[in-house]
Amino acid sequence: SGGGSSPNTNTDSKASEKNKTVKIAWADSGFPSPFTFTSNGPGGYLRSSFIFDSLTWKDETGVIPWLASSWEVSEDKLTYTFDLEKNVQFHDGESLTADDVVFSYNYFKKHAFQWNADMSKIASLKKISNHKVAITLTEEYSPFITEIAGILPILPEHIWSEIENPMEYTEENALIGTGPYVLDSYNSSTGNYRYLANEDYFKGDVTVKEVQYLNVENKMLSLQKGEITGGMTYNYTEVKQMEEQGFKALQSNPTGSAVRIVFNLENEQLSDKRLRQAIAYALNRGEIAEKVLGNSKTIVGSGGVIPPDSD
């Protein structure tokens, strides 16, 4: 996300292939349950998504089936009927059924998910069979298949049905999902994470066997020393310097995020509308965008910087 390149990765792919361990420099995002990770993304959501799956997902072609093997939409576009993958197991060995989907959506209607999912659009859920569920919306809502079905994690009912305050639930069982990884360790004092591959993942073999997130002080220096495999930066100059040293930059494509420039309205001086207007007129936002992002094609909108590939 954003206008920079992410992440920079070491060119020594043979070493990475040999041990299949990836070490990424990234700040602490909190305990990665769906209710306790920090919402300043994408790190928190990403780390939680390693553990929990959703009904749909995305690849380079667009929306693809995930926990749902297929789905149908009613003629009035209000009801989505999902056929679930069979033989999916949670990390504790319990089988995933339609009951877990119905429970999860109803639970998230009561307890807000940490990412953007508008649960007010959900009218009702109905279990049709063990592996089929119907979700009815309050109104026609085309983003449902990506912004709710493709985001909302499916929880194990046998664990979460007894949890009344999910914000305070940080026991080991809070991290049992169906996802490709299990969390081996999380150190809240250092902000370091260690994930291990789920050897029984329903989608097949998980290629990278171990993923570590390390809260290092200087990402680029750690990358140069070979202490990490990759790190994220939004600094265009930094990216160019690393590329000159032989590192490969993986750039977000499409970029996806519009960056806003906003005033701090709690500042006494900035409470004067005339001063805000004067600053807005004085700022050359096009020049700022080009210097920060290294891209002369960047679009400057009202109070913000919009990537040229943004819808």
Side-chain angles (χ1 to χ4, degrees):
S1 70
S5 299
S6 61
N8 287 318
T9 56
N10 198 312
T11 53
D12 190 2
S13 59
K14 291 183 179 179
S16 177
E17 178 66 24
K18 183 179 179 181
N19 55 38
K20 295 192 176 179
T21 297
V22 173
K23 298 179 181 180
I24 303 170
W26 210 329
D28 185 12
S29 294
F31 186 75
S33 110
F35 303 94
T36 54
F37 67 80
T38 56
S39 58
N40 53 327
Y45 173 75
L46 179 65
R47 290 174 203 184
S48 188
S49 74
F50 281 5
I51 301 169
F52 297 91
D53 287 315
S54 52
L55 293 175
T56 67
W57 200 241
K58 280 185 178 180
D59 65 6
E60 67 276 6
T61 65
V63 181
I64 58 173
W66 208 249
L67 284 178
S69 58
S70 62
W71 59 89
E72 295 179 353
V73 186
S74 61
E75 192 172 339
D76 62 7
K77 298 182 181 178
L78 292 180
T79 300
Y80 290 71
T81 303
F82 293 92
D83 285 305
L84 303 179
E85 288 277 4
K86 298 178 176 64
N87 304 317
V88 178
Q89 291 186 333
F90 289 100
H91 298 148
D92 62 358
E94 294 287 328
S95 296
L96 170 85
T97 70
D99 289 318
D100 298 297
V101 177
V102 172
F103 168 79
S104 297
Y105 274 63
N106 285 327
Y107 195 80
F108 282 115
K109 289 185 74 172
K110 295 179 183 177
H111 308 283
F113 181 42
Q114 287 291 82
W115 206 241
N116 303 319
D118 186 359
M119 298 307 288
S120 68
K121 302 294 186 184
I122 307 297
S124 63
L125 295 101
K126 180 182 179 181
K127 174 186 175 182
I128 298 174
S129 68
N130 263 352
H131 293 92
K132 180 172 284 197
V133 61
I135 302 176
T136 301
L137 309 182
T138 56
E139 60 183 350
E140 187 178 336
Y141 183 61
S142 58
F144 165 75
I145 204 69
T146 56
E147 301 306 311
I148 298 180
I151 288 177
L152 208 67
I154 303 303
L155 309 171
E157 181 183 16
H158 63 278
I159 292 176
W160 289 92
S161 60
E162 300 177 2
I163 308 303
E164 295 181 1
N165 190 345
M167 290 293 292
E168 296 179 0
Y169 185 49
T170 55
E171 304 297 323
E172 189 175 345
N173 280 356
L175 302 180
I176 288 179
T178 60
Y181 290 93
V182 295
L183 186 71
D184 179 68
S185 64
Y186 164 61
N187 188 320
S188 58
S189 61
T190 63
N192 293 343
Y193 301 73
R194 182 172 184 254
Y195 291 85
L196 298 178
N198 175 7
E199 297 299 336
D200 298 315
Y201 194 46
F202 75 100
K203 286 288 188 181
D205 184 48
V206 180
T207 304
V208 178
K209 300 303 180 185
E210 181 178 333
V211 178
Q212 295 181 29
Y213 284 104
L214 304 174
N215 192 12
V216 302
E217 186 173 345
N218 190 319
K219 292 177 287 189
M220 297 305 108
L221 183 61
S222 295
L223 192 59
Q224 290 165 341
K225 290 182 176 180
E227 298 169 345
I228 57 174
T229 314
M232 177 179 284
T233 179
Y234 295 106
N235 189 306
Y236 178 74
T237 304
E238 210 168 51
V239 172
K240 289 303 175 186
Q241 289 174 347
M242 296 302 290
E243 284 183 322
E244 289 174 3
Q245 296 176 32
F247 291 89
K248 183 178 179 182
L250 303 178
Q251 186 168 350
S252 302
N253 186 25
T255 311
S257 292
V259 182
R260 291 176 296 163
I261 302 173
V262 295
F263 289 106
N264 177 10
L265 298 180
E266 295 179 2
N267 180 285
E268 184 178 349
Q269 289 178 297
L270 291 175
S271 64
D272 188 334
K273 179 180 178 181
R274 295 170 303 169
L275 177 59
R276 297 199 304 271
Q277 288 178 329
I279 293 173
Y281 281 123
L283 284 175
N284 187 333
R285 287 176 285 130
E287 186 179 355
I288 293 172
E290 184 172 352
K291 285 183 177 179
V292 173
L293 304 180
N295 188 340
S296 60
K297 296 180 181 179
T298 299
I299 303 164
V300 176
S302 177
V305 178
I306 304 169
D309 53 9
S310 169
D311 289 341

